[in-house]
Amino acid sequence: MRTLEVPPLIPPTLAKRAGLAAAVLSLPLATVSFQNPASASTTVPTFDSAATAYLAYSVEADRTWVHASQLSLSPSLDQVALAHAYQMAEGNYLFDSPYLAGVAGPYVPGWLRLGENSAYGATAVAAAWTFVHSPPHLANILGPYNEYGVAAVRSGGTLWVAEVFAYQG
């Protein structure tokens, strides 16, 4: 297993504007793991609203940082992301949706482009860091989409994250 020590994702000036400076700057360094957890979790997966909010903010902050247009947060795509995060947590396995168009497409009538990010880690900061340091995941975050959904599910000490992006014409 490869691990990296990483600092919090949000630059202090951006965090202050959002009123999150104290919370973000007081976070300890996170350990990011690039290997699936060794054993299946014995806990029931639960929705993590604080991690989900952080990840949604992270998408918006990343797009603001590069002056990209903001996305609309879609409750329908949130549900698609939540279902995927639960599937990963329950199976203790990281994967992308093999049929994203079939899963997310019905929730976005007239879609022209779909994208998805999947990750796991100990914290939302670790998952967000993983996304911005992976060119394909960062391309989804900064890509030509106009709406997105995000969800985080905790199972034991692991946070399972799914982000779904769509461009609806």
Side-chain angles (χ1 to χ4, degrees):
M1 175 169 62
R2 193 171 106 194
T3 60
L4 299 172
E5 294 294 319
V6 297
L9 173 69
I10 301 173
T13 55
L14 190 57
K16 284 180 186 174
R17 281 197 344 219
L20 296 175
V24 172
L25 296 176
S26 67
L27 291 173
L29 293 179
T31 299
V32 179
S33 153
F34 295 97
Q35 176 181 344
N36 282 343
S39 62
S41 173
T42 58
T43 61
V44 176
T46 56
F47 175 69
D48 189 326
S49 60
T52 298
Y54 178 87
L55 290 156
Y57 173 78
S58 178
V59 168
E60 295 168 12
D62 294 338
R63 291 182 69 87
T64 298
W65 190 259
V66 298
H67 306 286
S69 62
Q70 290 301 302
L71 306 177
S72 297
L73 190 56
S74 164
S76 296
L77 291 178
D78 280 345
Q79 291 303 308
V80 173
L82 182 62
H84 183 63
Y86 267 112
Q87 287 176 329
M88 292 188 296
E90 289 169 351
N92 198 42
Y93 185 72
L94 179 68
F95 64 95
D96 287 326
S97 298
Y99 305 107
L100 184 59
V103 174
Y107 295 95
V108 190
W111 67 271
L112 299 173
R113 183 179 303 107
L114 295 171
E116 177 182 56
N117 288 343
S118 303
Y120 70 91
T123 65
V125 173
W129 186 92
T130 300
F131 287 150
V132 299
H133 288 86
S134 163
H137 293 99
L138 183 59
N140 278 339
I141 292 170
L142 303 179
Y145 300 105
N146 56 11
E147 57 188 303
Y148 76 111
V150 61
V153 171
R154 183 160 300 281
S155 182
T158 304
L159 186 70
W160 298 90
V161 176
E163 297 176 339
V164 181
F165 301 89
Y167 179 78
Q168 188 173 15

